[in-house]
Amino acid sequence: MTNLVYLVPLFPLIGFLINGIGWRRIPKTAGGVIGSLAILASFAVSLGIFFEVKNAGTATTVHLFDFIRSGKLIIPFAFQVDALSSLFLLIITGIGFLIHVYSTSYMHEDEGMVKYFAYLNLFVFSMLLLVLGANYLIMFIGWEGVGLCSYLLIGFWFKNRDYTNAAKKAFVMNRIGDLGFLVGMLMVLFHFGTLTYADFFGQLQGASSGDSIYTWIAICFFIGATGKSAQIPLYTWLPDAMAGPTPVSALIHAATMVTAGIYMIARSSALYNLAPFALNLVAYIGLATALLAATIAMRQYDIKKVLAYSTVSQLGFMFLALGVGAYTTAVFHVMTHAFFKALLFLGSGSVIHAMGGEQDIRKMGGLGKHMRITQITFLIGCLAIAGIPGFSGFFSKDEILASAFAHNPVLFYLALAGAMMTAFYMFRLYFLTFTGPFRGTHDQEHHLHESPAAITIPLIVLAILSVVGGYVGLPPVISEHHTFNTYLAPVVSNFNVHHLEHATEWMLMGVSTTLVIVMIIVAYSVTKRPNFIPNTGFAAVLENKWYVDELYDIIIVRPLNGVSNAFNRFVEKAGIDGMVNGVGKTVRWGSDRMRMLQTGQVGFYIFVMVIGITVLFALSFFWNL
């Protein structure tokens, strides 16, 4: 089955080509079926590869052809099949398939549905290329591919100017991060003469930490990760990406794109083990992002914006885990987060569908009576992300908190504050949406209904995964055998992580669970009689997202616009245009003068001819002298 790994990205590519070429002629239902079957076929192959890797426990490189061959430089187009890539294959194709099925109903009224599925297939293809590549160049091709697809999908409804601007913002901010990744890749090529993982990591074996080249490469890679995975300072594109259709948000936030940065650092763990400064930077940036995004989420009223900032915050937790050397813990949270975040986004889409496009939670309330399946599955998602024991998010988040405590207790206390805010804003969202009296219009209330099966079935499957998905990583106080870490051990293992006493671990779990439950009670108290008066003071600062967008506008956008306008006025128009226009005007002026010599009088022409011959004779005479 491993030798058939090329089929995994090939099926979505075929789906993209069929729907992309024939999107004007293919019926909408057929386009949805083609797009979904392509991902289902990839999932079936990925499942076979996963179990083969699990049983064999070895890594395999499948060489397809030489992509670049120049002198001693050989970069193959090859796929890396190991525990890490096979796990991501399951997440991408499994969650991706459920989102495709969901989209067949959600997008059925859209005229561009077939084109939409073509973009979705291309998105999945690019992400699969990213995780399968056996070298950084193939990863970079997939990296750029998901950036392009996010631009196409975020701006899918391109007739809306705001949506187009959101797509451009995502594209530009990702390019900034991509430049860092590209520079890091060139440094690897220049200093180590290869981009292939096996060759590069082989040269790192036995090396001692502290060499500045390791630190610089690791920092450049991390800059790339901040763009794709929405970390400070390149995170502001992700909340604006909510302009795209809701299933696209689920795909970006759960199964693709934002997990790319986590994957890249986990894949490069051998490098980061040699760069302690870069690891600390990753941890501090991740923690700061988790806290900043959580504070913003507490005062948002758009159901998708709350979830978007929640994603930014959860990604911060994953980077915190990477920064303290708990690579497998970060990947573990990627998996559980994919389950419950896809569930929450698709659940919000079900709510928006029932509300006729309304996304403001101040105009909702009491939807649980009309949408029981959506309510129950959404509640399971909230319990999972809040870290309630028994749900998947509890196991992965508990590992992150324990790793942070072992590394530095200050990191633990700050991360615990982030976890408490997570519980508050998620249950504030749940209570305002599904409980209490309905606050929308009479017309909206009249049309409230549960979504069709194509929407609710993916919700039920994801809800089940959000419960059971965490049991592959039981904490040491329950079981010393960590199935998830054992599976990843041949490829990725944690670095310099201290083990805690069982008593300490019980204490940490007890404290975090108690505080999370307290925050849920606080959220219930606050939303029991909601008061939506305009925010003032610090609450207004949070509602306006710490004015970060406005700050970027002042220190980056406006100065760049000023410089661009100056170049446009003095260089483009007065300089280049002036020179080109000046040549044209000079030629035209000269032609006008020369045209006056064409009088049509033969006598004048003979006179000029005689003058010319005289001048030639005179010149000839003086020249001979």
Side-chain angles (χ1 to χ4, degrees), residues 228-512:
K228 276 289 179 290
S229 296
Q231 297 296 286
I232 292 175
L234 301 177
Y235 72 94
T236 56
W237 68 269
L238 189 57
D240 288 1
M242 297 301 98
T246 301
V248 172
S249 304
L251 194 61
I252 291 176
H253 288 245
T256 63
M257 192 143 179
V258 298
T259 63
I262 313 293
Y263 172 82
M264 187 250 281
I265 292 181
R267 171 64 73 188
S268 308
S269 57
L271 168 69
Y272 280 86
N273 290 344
L274 300 174
F277 176 80
L279 270 183
N280 285 329
L281 184 66
V282 172
Y284 295 137
I285 292 290
L287 182 59
T289 305
L291 293 173
L292 180 76
T295 58
I296 295 173
M298 290 196 300
R299 280 293 173 179
Q300 298 303 304
Y301 296 103
D302 185 311
I303 186 171
K304 289 177 68 178
K305 282 287 179 68
V306 176
L307 296 177
Y309 280 104
S310 161
T311 298
V312 177
S313 181
Q314 296 303 308
L315 289 168
F317 279 106
M318 296 173 205
F319 276 94
L320 170 63
L322 292 171
V324 299
Y327 304 116
T328 60
T329 302
V331 177
F332 187 24
H333 200 54
V334 166
M335 186 186 73
T336 60
H337 179 262
F339 297 150
F340 56 70
K341 188 49 61 71
L343 170 61
L344 291 167
F345 263 113
L346 297 185
S348 73
S350 180
V351 168
I352 295 168
H353 182 262
M355 291 289 295
E358 181 61 67
Q359 296 184 197
D360 193 332
I361 55 177
R362 289 171 291 193
K363 299 174 183 176
M364 298 180 186
L367 299 188
K369 292 179 292 187
H370 308 277
M371 310 176 69
R372 190 60 70 186
I373 296 177
T374 302
Q375 181 198 18
I376 294 172
T377 53
F378 200 92
L379 175 61
I380 290 172
C382 289
L383 291 168
I385 194 174
I388 297 298
F391 295 85
S392 61
F394 165 77
F395 299 103
S396 55
K397 192 172 288 185
D398 174 68
E399 269 195 37
I400 294 175
L401 293 175
S403 301
F405 184 84
H407 188 79
N408 185 342
V410 175
L411 295 180
F412 165 78
Y413 293 121
L414 292 173
L416 182 61
M420 292 168 61
M421 286 189 279
T422 302
F424 175 79
Y425 65 69
M426 286 309 305
F427 275 88
R428 167 181 173 268
L429 174 64
Y430 171 78
F431 289 131
L432 286 177
T433 303
F434 292 101
T435 65
F438 183 69
R439 298 181 293 275
T441 64
H442 177 72
D443 188 50
Q444 286 175 324
E445 187 174 20
H446 180 71
H447 288 93
L448 287 176
H449 59 278
E450 185 55 276
S451 298
I455 288 180
T456 54
I457 290 175
L459 295 180
I460 294 170
V461 174
L462 288 167
I464 294 171
L465 291 172
S466 297
V467 176
V468 305
Y471 287 88
V472 295
L474 296 174
V477 292
I478 299 176
S479 171
E480 292 293 341
H481 179 68
H482 198 292
T483 307
F484 191 83
N485 286 355
T486 304
Y487 175 71
L488 287 179
V491 184
V492 183
S493 56
N494 293 336
F495 171 69
N496 201 24
V497 174
H498 304 288
H499 296 285
L500 300 174
E501 297 290 335
H502 284 188
T504 304
E505 197 169 344
W506 277 118
M507 183 270 292
L508 296 179
M509 291 168 61
V511 169
S512 64

Side-chain angles (χ1 to χ4, degrees), residues 24-41:
R24 292 182 184 277
R25 296 183 177 83
I26 296 175
K28 288 192 286 187
T29 303
V33 171
I34 292 169
S36 301
L37 286 179
I39 306 303
L40 180 61

